[in-house]
Amino acid sequence: MISFERFTLSNGLKVIVHEDASTPLACINVLYDVGARDEHPDQTGFAHLFEHLMFGGSINIPNYDTPLQEVGGENNAFTNNDITNYYLSLPAENLETGFWLESDRMLCLAFSEKSLEVQRNVVIEEFKQRYLNQPYGDEWLLLRPLAYKVHPYQWATIGKEISHISDAKMEDVRSFFNRFYTPSNAILVVAGNVNTTHVMQLAEKWFAPIPSASKPLRNLPIEPQQNEARFLSVQRDVPSDAIHKAFHMVSRNSPRYYAQDLLSDMLGRGTSSQLYTSLVKGSELFTEINAFVTGSYDAGLFVVSGKLKDGVSCEQADEAIRQELAKVVNAGIPETELAKVKNKAESTHVFGEMGVLNKAMNLAFAELMGDAGLVNTEIERIRAVTAEDVHNEARILFREENCSTLYYRKNS
Amino acid sequence: MQLDRTIAPPAVGIEGVQYTSPKQYKLLNGLPIWYLNMGSQEVIKAEFVFHAGSAHHACPLVPSFTSAMMQEGTIKHSASEIADAIDNYGAFLELDHDKDFASITLYTLKRYYAETLPVILEIIEEANLPENEWKILISNRLQKYRINLGKVSFVAGKAFQELVFKGTPYGAPFEEQDYHNVQLNDLLAFRGAHYRLEKSFVMLSGLVDEEVLTSTNQVLGDFPISTPQFFGSTPDAHPVAKQDRIHFIEKTDAIQSAIRIGRRMFDRRHPDYFGVKVLTTVLGGYFGSRLMSNIREDKGYTYGIGAGIVAYENDGWFYISTEVGTDVTSDALIEIYKEVALLRDELIAEDELNLVKNYMLGTLLKSFDGPFERIERFKALHLYHLSDDYYDRYTAAIREVSAIELRDLARKWLQEESLIELVVGKK
């Protein structure tokens, strides 16, 4: 149970406060409701590049990191397809330094040419390090456009190609900031050894003077239902073949989400899961196999992926996965299996609330989905899922015409 | 009144951390355990540490495979039954190892502790490393190794460790052939010699109340053991074999080169340890460090670069580590050496040094947040033979170290000719 208070400033900024006196720390989490899905198809990777620029100095503070480190703080940020999230933690006595820094970069960036030039290079190196210079690094760059034909989830957060990053101009940066980095498009969570009244005063002092702007409207194309099986086969310089099967599933805030999520746990989470037991330990066709959901805010993907044992073909592996999924569709869900993954989901949730920063992030994500209070009812909602619900979802998901299959073969 | 945003709000200095030792509790069979009853979440972490890290065998793969095989079946239960016995209660089992130690850790909701703890005892005392599971494991590990060989960072990390600690237990090399040479009997012998309840160091953290202690006694305290003996053999400090300074492994298809620069140093008990920790933090231990500011934030050569010291039980080393575009590999090397030379040649400015000191004290404070973090700090004291006042001494040393002392430490430990350099990729 995470207790919290919630209020909204006159400029539209939502503020959530969670008091936890057991820690000497305080955290500030600022979530901006903008991600790679909000990018123009010819300017992909921009939300993430922008995240880097947020550390290049703001209008009144030339350097973001130095003053924070001076008071014993630490920070980072991440971007995904849905959101851009910034977080810092520091000794609770120095909370106001965090307010000063975060409010100034929400007010206005410095828009330094030097920062843009350098961060373009840094992000290009990140592109190389994580997606190109790694075995299997480009799997998601291939799988996304196969599964999504119209929705912007068809590109990864890093972007479609390096040129989109190297071509980024200062005028694009400015207009991106003006459109998305506004109080009404953000959620501020303050958690830790803090006092709610004090936080309200600090929020009024530092954030309330930031001019309001209307929340940008999001009007994304809806991915049409997939009606035919899709295949892609590529060859790369890797030591063994791999396979991915991606099925269209519901969005993160659908009431059906937990049944689909529990199904993925049952199939492919950990060494007692069905796919691992049957295909890694039993038939020994795979050396590793997983099932997971992307959990995105718009309709997501249910993915089964694995690496094949030497001598096993992608076709054989594909057939073996299809048989395992058919088993679930035909035989239904054993109550014991469902109870097991529900227990796992509950302990994951409880362990996930150990740190004050985790709690702050969970509150912010839940508020974006409509209500920060969702964090306190999640276990109930998971517990309410029945074996029949999960079985129904298996029937809906596991149809070949709902599936994009990627064969990732080694060079022969 | 108009708000002046150019002026930082007043801030306070960071107090030291309050270290309190966990309590010791002797089980019925004489095994001492340590516990920390703290936190608001209804969870328990039970960790069993063994002196069974990869430096404890001539082939480092043997301890590593043994650690992984411990959950693959016991005299009474198969691997999948063991996995079920943990997963049915939503608990997590973590098998881990480093150079010195191996650990078996249970994370569970408190209400399932009594049901899941017996599984851990059974693993420790009755794991029998079944042959069929071993065959699957070795074939999967070999495949993972081959995948890793495609990553410049992996190749560099492995080769650099072997260079820095050449001829010592911390630098024992292994190659693909060793995956074929290692026999199940090697693992069985290692398991028999290193994994026993009486050889374990047991720590409980979370909501460890009377009920949890009683359950612990019923499960572990009831098991007959001989004299507890956690500390047995420790790797000796060996002289390192002599070698060249510059090393290069070519990977023609690489689009980034991995760079590693460093040298052997010392363990945590060395009088220069705290000072060198501050020095390497200035160089590359935080986001605003000199290497990050220069190589990433000014030149844009890399996504990230870091430097630091790693300490083992009886040894340690200093490293600089990065991946850079192959076209800027030589430029990056020049800049890295320039930054190291500056530490030897010039005094660190007062502002910068104060910033680093505050940053380090803030990080220390954070590392004491919550029961799992606190038990880790205790574990470090115990495993690395440090006294209870270690964190007080650390705090005082950070506060007191001067720019002159740091420059002298750089001259003593960071002479260019003493640093080994490895590039994997293209020059």
Side-chain angles (χ1 to χ4, degrees), chain B residues 276-290:
Chain B
V276 170
K277 189 137 178 99
V278 177
L279 184 67
T280 55
T281 304
V282 170
L283 179 64
Y286 68 112
F287 191 86
S289 71
R290 291 180 173 196

Side-chain angles (χ1 to χ4, degrees), chain A residues 124-139 141 158 160-162 236-237 408, chain B residues 150 253-256:
Chain A
I124 289 168
E125 289 305 321
E126 181 180 0
F127 200 129
K128 292 181 194 166
Q129 184 172 324
R130 294 170 62 168
Y131 298 86
L132 304 181
N133 209 28
Q134 295 283 337
Y136 310 101
D138 63 345
E139 284 171 335
L141 303 185
I158 195 73
K160 284 187 204 169
E161 49 190 277
I162 284 181
R236 294 286 189 270
D237 181 19
Y408 198 101
Chain B
D253 57 342
I255 54 176
Q256 282 189 319

Side-chain angles (χ1 to χ4, degrees), chain A residues 155-202:
Chain A
W155 57 83
T157 311
I158 195 73
K160 284 187 204 169
E161 49 190 277
I162 284 181
S163 69
H164 285 189
I165 298 159
S166 51
D167 291 347
K169 308 257 182 323
M170 186 54 86
E171 64 198 70
D172 306 326
V173 173
R174 276 182 195 278
S175 67
F176 195 88
F177 180 83
N178 290 335
R179 178 149 176 239
F180 293 110
Y181 281 72
T182 62
S184 58
N185 206 38
I187 297 164
L188 170 72
V189 181
V190 183
N193 201 337
V194 300
N195 169 283
T196 303
T197 315
H198 184 224
V199 170
M200 288 170 103
Q201 288 161 356
L202 289 174

Side-chain angles (χ1 to χ4, degrees), chain B residues 158-358:
Chain B
K158 175 180 176 304
F160 198 62
Q161 177 93 32
E162 293 168 7
L163 282 169
V164 170
F165 291 106
K166 197 171 178 179
T168 86
Y170 291 119
F174 64 93
E175 302 298 338
E176 182 159 332
Q177 188 53 43
D178 293 307
Y179 284 78
H180 303 289
N181 293 346
V182 170
Q183 299 296 314
L184 181 55
N185 277 337
D186 301 331
L187 273 64
L188 284 164
F190 190 80
R191 179 254 178 285
H194 292 83
Y195 287 89
R196 291 291 169 208
L197 184 61
E198 67 226 24
K199 296 192 171 188
S200 68
F201 171 55
V202 188
M203 290 163 290
L204 307 180
S205 52
L207 281 191
V208 188
D209 56 16
E210 279 302 319
E211 190 191 350
V212 168
L213 289 176
T214 305
S215 303
T216 311
N217 229 338
Q218 279 163 358
V219 178
L220 303 182
D222 202 33
F223 188 86
I225 58 166
S226 54
T227 316
Q229 41 159 321
F230 170 65
F231 283 109
S233 61
T234 61
D236 294 332
H238 287 247
V240 177
K242 264 211 177 319
Q243 69 227 286
D244 298 334
R245 192 177 95 70
I246 309 283
H247 301 262
F248 177 54
I249 299 173
E250 188 166 28
K251 280 185 80 82
T252 47
D253 57 342
I255 54 176
Q256 282 189 319
S257 297
I259 297 175
R260 300 289 183 273
I261 292 171
R263 60 165 294 170
R264 190 188 192 193
M265 282 205 173
F266 35 64
D267 67 44
R268 289 170 179 77
R269 290 162 293 183
H270 193 282
D272 289 345
Y273 178 79
F274 294 136
V276 170
K277 189 137 178 99
V278 177
L279 184 67
T280 55
T281 304
V282 170
L283 179 64
Y286 68 112
F287 191 86
S289 71
R290 291 180 173 196
L291 288 173
M292 276 293 269
S293 303
N294 181 347
I295 319 280
R296 172 177 147 139
E297 292 297 302
D298 188 55
K299 308 289 189 309
Y301 291 161
T302 182
Y303 177 48
I305 181 164
I309 47 175
V310 178
Y312 300 131
E313 190 179 351
N314 283 324
D315 218 321
W317 55 308
F318 157 72
Y319 71 89
I320 297 169
S321 160
T322 186
E323 272 83 65
V324 301
T326 48
D327 51 328
V328 294
T329 306
S330 331
D331 296 333
L333 282 168
I334 291 168
E335 293 300 326
I336 292 170
Y337 284 118
K338 209 185 270 176
E339 292 299 340
V340 177
L342 276 173
L343 294 176
R344 297 189 303 261
D345 298 342
E346 290 178 20
L347 293 176
I348 300 164
E350 197 182 331
D351 281 1
E352 182 185 3
L353 187 55
N354 279 336
L355 182 153
V356 169
K357 289 178 170 191
N358 284 339

